Amino acid sequence: MSNPISLIFIIISIYFSLPLFTTNSRTIKTNKVLSSSDDSSITYLWPLPSHLTSGNQTLTVDPNLSISLSGNNNAIVTEAFERYKKKIIFKHTSSSGGGTRKLSYDVGKVNVVVNSDNDELQLGVDESYTLLVAKNNGLSIVGEVNIEANTIYGALRGLETFSQLCTFDYGTKTVQIYKAPWVIKDKPRFPFRGLLLDTSRHYYPIDIIKQIIESMSYAKLNVLHWHIIDEESFPLEVPAYPKLWKGAYTKWERYTVEDAADIVDFAKKRGINVMAEIDVPGHAESWGTGYPDLWPSSSCKEPLDVSKNFTFEVLSGILEDMREIFPFELFHLGGDEVNTDCWKSTAHVKQWLQEMNMTTKDAYQYFVLRAQEIAISKNWTPVNWEETFNAFGEKLNPKTVVHNWLGAGVCPKVVAQGLKCIYSNQGFWYLDHLDVPWDQVYDAEPLERITDASEQKLVLGGEVCMWSETADPSNVQQTIWPRAAAAAERLWTSKEAAPISNTSEAALTRLQYFRCLLTRRGVQASPVTNFYARSPPTGPGSCYDQ
């Protein structure tokens, strides 16, 4: 094995006589709620790495921490390192080290080895990493942090974990790493770990969306499902059909093409894909504000008019323009909650149905399948809500990814048919359901009732959904966090390291700590154990015990 970091990893593991890639049993030990006397049995990392070992040393980190990179095309990693260093790790300290000046520090450099120069970000990109932290004391061979990853996106996940190991000590005014040496070998359990953001029911300014994306990276979520458009508003610019964004609430609540591209670029630099959605044929009333011909009639404004080629020309134009913005291979076409009653009561649509010898259910199927064909022709993999599968699953294109939301038992049926599935059971992972406690979010299992290994691989992962009927920039982060983090660990960490029903005080303590980490980083996360999410605290108390 010629790679020097790989060699260092093996030597350190042997030296400390620790199992090479085994989970430390201390990571799941029960502990009382975090207090001022920190219990060393808890590993304060979220999501918990799949495999780790730790020791009992405390290391100091040099405020002039530097980075050494091997490989090309590492601008994203360099930028991320500077971001973590200046805004997170050394938020409290100046370059001089603050009050008590130490002549030497235990850790002064982060060595990052990235084994691939490819910066393409797609579904299933390798996010694994190895993180080593050890002291140069004459006994071990390194006094640096070493991160090795196959891609820059694995390196980003390693930097996040490293940042969580760094803690500011108020007594010495230094950044310290406890429980060193650390040997962490980590990778995600699922390739798709998403958060849906609905910008139709309420508009979110660009900076708010970026704040949400930034916070997603802290929990190692990797897909922003951007539900841009719905029946209430159409805020996105579509150059091919410039009147469409007349459907925005106001002329100030819009996204230009450049805005959307900026969001995609910002997300990529944090290892996050953006999956856009246009929800057809239902949930599309706003389309007709600019182009009334898309409505079957003035009294039947959705579903979109299935009888006109113009409808599909507009759909194709939207997808053509959006393909220039969104490079992610998945595109969400919606397809949920389609009430076709008014098609039957609209004269020209009714006549078309008769000529085509179709029922309204047939026409619903026709619309969904034609939309899929258009998306596939533009090199997209279509994603559809589960109603399409429930109504005509055997007719869906074999490339279809079915998005479960109505309840349990859908993903097992989907994968049994050979299709892929994304899990978002609304009973647990709909964040606008404010009465779902953190432990139910944590225990929800995307592979429930799926035991066959080949079928399990067809479950891409899952997604928490932030629908915005009752959320806007004033309260969206409080609604997302910290419950989204509970799902994030379920999606990242292996079941062996974070078993279902691990709602012990240890898991709660770690989540409370992560919630406070979020607030320190400027994320307006709610207390963990609220009866209703985003409720304020009931009285005075510590951030760690509310």
Side-chain angles (χ1 to χ4, degrees):
M1 187 176 297
S2 58
N3 189 294
I5 289 187
S6 299
L7 181 61
I8 289 168
F9 172 67
I10 293 175
I11 293 173
I12 290 177
S13 299
I14 294 173
Y15 176 82
F16 288 101
S17 301
L18 294 170
L20 194 57
F21 302 138
T22 57
T23 303
N24 190 334
S25 61
R26 292 179 298 174
T27 61
I28 56 173
K29 181 180 177 181
T30 301
N31 183 56
K32 294 182 179 179
V33 173
L34 186 68
S35 66
S36 57
S37 58
D38 196 357
D39 191 304
S40 63
S41 66
I42 301 294
T43 299
Y44 294 107
L45 295 174
W46 198 284
L48 196 65
S50 294
H51 306 282
L52 63 85
T53 57
S54 61
N56 56 13
Q57 298 176 355
T58 297
L59 310 183
T60 56
V61 185
D62 192 341
N64 294 312
L65 187 71
S66 62
I67 185 172
S68 173
L69 284 162
S70 70
N72 300 316
N73 203 15
N74 279 327
I76 288 176
V77 178
T78 303
E79 181 180 317
F81 173 78
E82 293 299 325
R83 186 168 65 244
Y84 277 110
K85 177 182 174 181
K86 295 175 181 178
K87 295 184 179 181
I88 293 176
I89 298 174
F90 294 105
K91 178 181 288 188
H92 289 287
T93 57
S94 66
S95 60
S96 64
T100 304
R101 172 65 175 168
K102 292 183 68 70
L103 296 177
S104 62
Y105 296 89
D106 301 312
V107 175
K109 183 186 288 185
V110 176
N111 292 317
V112 179
V113 173
V114 178
N115 295 322
S116 171
D117 296 336
N118 187 355
D119 69 348
E120 184 179 10
L121 181 61
Q122 284 292 355
L123 182 69
V125 68
D126 191 335
E127 297 173 88
S128 65
Y129 66 92
T130 298
L131 172 64
L132 312 174
V133 183
K135 181 179 182 180
N136 186 358
N137 59 3
L139 296 177
S140 67
I141 62 173
V142 290
E144 300 162 338
V145 174
N146 293 278
I147 297 172
E148 182 179 4
N150 290 325
T151 69
I152 59 175
Y153 305 109
L156 294 181
R157 305 303 175 225
L159 285 172
E160 172 57 39
T161 300
F162 169 66
S163 76
Q164 292 188 27
L165 291 176
C166 295
T167 303
F168 182 70
D169 182 274
Y170 285 86
T172 62
K173 296 186 180 179
T174 59
V175 172
Q176 300 184 349
I177 297 174
Y178 301 108
K179 297 171 62 179
W182 286 93
V183 180
I184 295 174
K185 188 162 182 72
D186 200 11
K187 64 179 180 179
R189 182 183 177 205
F190 291 102
F192 187 107
R193 307 179 306 282
L195 167 70
L196 178 148
L197 183 65
D198 166 18
T199 60
S200 176
R201 276 52 180 263
H202 280 101
Y203 174 84
Y204 294 91
I206 303 300
D207 283 351
I208 299 295
I209 296 176
K210 288 182 176 180
Q211 289 169 19
I212 292 169
I213 291 170
E214 190 85 67
S215 66
M216 289 172 63
S217 71
Y218 301 152
K220 297 185 173 71
L221 294 173
N222 72 342
V223 178
L224 176 70
H225 174 179
W226 192 0
H227 189 89
I228 309 176
I229 300 154
D230 211 293
E231 62 188 41
E232 290 85 357
S233 73
F234 195 118
L236 182 68
E237 179 185 20
V238 178
Y241 291 92
K243 295 180 183 179
L244 280 170
W245 68 352
K246 285 188 174 182
Y249 285 121
T250 65
K251 64 182 180 180
W252 301 285
E253 294 172 290
R254 292 174 170 177
Y255 304 106
T256 66
V257 168
E258 293 79 9
D259 290 335
D262 182 38
I263 287 170
V264 170
D265 180 67
F266 184 90
K268 179 181 179 178
K269 290 177 179 177
R270 286 145 184 85
I272 295 172
N273 278 301
V274 179
M275 177 178 70
E277 178 181 0
I278 55 172
D279 196 346
V280 292
H283 291 279
E285 179 179 335
S286 61
W287 297 35
T289 304
Y291 295 95
D293 283 349
L294 294 170
W295 291 332
S297 72
S298 59
S299 60
C300 173
K301 297 183 176 182
E302 63 181 21
L304 295 172
D305 195 328
V306 67
S307 69
K308 294 177 182 174
N309 278 327
F310 178 64
T311 301
F312 297 96
E313 291 171 4
V314 172
L315 175 60
S316 181
I318 294 171
L319 292 180
E320 187 72 27
D321 284 347
M322 293 179 85
R323 201 63 180 104
E324 297 298 314
I325 304 169
F326 300 101
F328 190 39
E329 66 190 68
L330 300 183
F331 191 92
H332 209 302
L333 291 168
D336 62 312
E337 298 180 322
V338 179
N339 184 342
T340 59
D341 288 349
C342 77
W343 278 350
K344 292 185 292 186
S345 58
T346 304
H348 74 273
V349 179
K350 184 178 180 179
Q351 180 179 350
W352 179 85
L353 290 171
Q354 291 173 345
E355 292 172 355
M356 300 293 290
N357 195 27
M358 286 186 186
T359 65
T360 53
K361 181 180 178 180
D362 295 333
Y364 168 41
Q365 174 184 310
Y366 167 81
F367 197 114
V368 168
L369 297 185
R370 189 166 174 183
Q372 285 193 335
E373 289 175 3
I374 295 171
I376 292 169
S377 73
K378 302 182 189 306
N379 201 29
W380 260 318
T381 297
V383 184
N384 284 98
W385 294 107
E386 70 173 72
E387 285 95 327
T388 59
F389 176 82
N390 297 337
F392 43 86
E394 72 284 352
K395 300 292 186 180
L396 291 172
N397 189 286
K399 296 182 179 180
T400 304
V401 178
V402 177
H403 195 165
N404 154 245
W405 73 277
L406 286 171
V410 175
C411 280
K413 297 176 183 178
V414 169
V415 298
Q417 191 173 303
L419 300 177
K420 294 182 175 68
C421 193
I422 295 170
Y423 174 91
S424 290
N425 187 332
Q426 65 171 337
F428 307 111
W429 283 9
Y430 266 36
L431 298 173
D432 56 314
H433 294 189
L434 303 180
D435 58 347
V436 179
W438 78 272
D439 54 332
Q440 291 185 21
V441 178
Y442 188 85
D443 281 349
E445 174 48 51
L447 297 184
E448 182 181 21
R449 293 163 52 184
I450 304 173
T451 57
D452 181 83
S454 62
E455 292 183 351
Q456 288 180 344
K457 291 179 180 178
L458 294 175
V459 179
L460 299 181
E463 173 181 289
V464 286
C465 299
M466 183 63 261
W467 299 104
S468 293
E469 285 88 346
T470 61
D472 73 355
S474 70
N475 61 1
V476 66
Q477 290 282 53
Q478 295 102 306
T479 314
I480 293 171
W481 304 107
R483 290 183 304 161
E489 181 158 289
R490 177 63 53 229
L491 291 167
W492 176 274
T493 308
S494 67
K495 287 180 68 176
E496 292 75 23
I500 294 178
S501 297
N502 183 24
T503 53
S504 65
E505 293 178 9
L508 173 57
T509 298
R510 287 191 305 107
L511 184 56
Q512 287 175 320
Y513 183 89
F514 183 73
R515 179 257 172 169
C516 296
L517 177 146
L518 289 174
T519 62
R520 291 197 303 272
R521 295 184 180 188
V523 180
Q524 298 170 333
S526 294
V528 176
T529 55
N530 283 347
F531 183 73
Y532 285 106
R534 79 183 181 208
S535 299
T538 56
S542 164
C543 176
Y544 299 95
D545 186 15
Q546 291 180 354

